[in-house]
Amino acid sequence: GINAEYGVHEHKNHPPMTCQGTESGQRQRMGESFYPQAGQIIETGRDELSAIDKMAADVERQITKRSKYSRRRTHVDDADISYINERNKKFNEKCERFYGSYTEEIRQNLERGTAL
């Protein structure tokens, strides 16, 4: 289903970025203040440079991966343009497929100018 497809998408496009040992090291440094009380503000510190570099490299990888994929769309120049964007084009194609036979006479009357 959709959840499985989403999981595959996430796995392909966003591999897990983990910093091993960060939480345990922070817990040791902070001691009891690692577990804040209600209303207490804690300072988490700065991100490690290696984590920032890893994230930047991942973003660069995603950009290059996206640039490789471009689907060639078929376009017919002689076709009537009855849409405002790609989504509307698909909707109009579906309507034509299901209701085209019922609306054919009305469409012909509109084109001739003899519609009621």
Side-chain angles (χ1 to χ4, degrees):
I2 293 174
N3 289 336
E5 292 172 9
Y6 181 74
V8 169
H9 167 77
E10 282 296 310
H11 179 70
K12 284 183 178 178
N13 296 318
H14 305 288
M17 294 177 59
T18 58
C19 296
Q20 299 295 330
T22 304
E23 185 178 341
S24 61
Q26 193 176 23
R27 187 181 305 125
Q28 287 175 351
R29 283 192 308 273
M30 296 177 72
E32 285 299 314
S33 64
F34 182 77
Y35 303 102
Q37 302 297 319
Q40 182 181 2
I41 299 174
I42 59 169
E43 181 157 337
T44 57
R46 300 200 179 272
D47 294 326
E48 295 180 17
L49 290 177
S50 61
I52 293 171
D53 292 340
K54 187 176 180 181
M55 183 185 71
D58 185 51
V59 169
E60 293 287 332
R61 184 188 60 78
Q62 288 177 23
I63 290 170
T64 57
K65 194 172 189 179
R66 282 190 203 118
S67 67
K68 291 178 185 176
Y69 294 110
S70 63
R71 194 171 82 196
R72 202 69 168 142
R73 304 200 190 292
T74 56
H75 179 71
V76 181
D77 288 330
D78 298 334
D80 290 335
I81 297 176
S82 62
Y83 53 90
I84 57 174
N85 56 28
E86 288 296 319
R87 187 173 179 186
N88 182 247
K89 180 180 176 183
K90 290 290 182 193
F91 176 78
N92 290 348
E93 288 172 357
K94 285 182 182 180
C95 287
E96 178 64 29
R97 186 174 29 202
F98 291 112
Y99 304 111
S101 60
Y102 303 110
T103 60
E104 186 174 345
E105 183 182 349
I106 297 169
R107 195 175 319 107
Q108 289 173 354
N109 287 341
L110 286 171
E111 289 174 3
R112 283 195 305 256
T114 59
L116 295 176

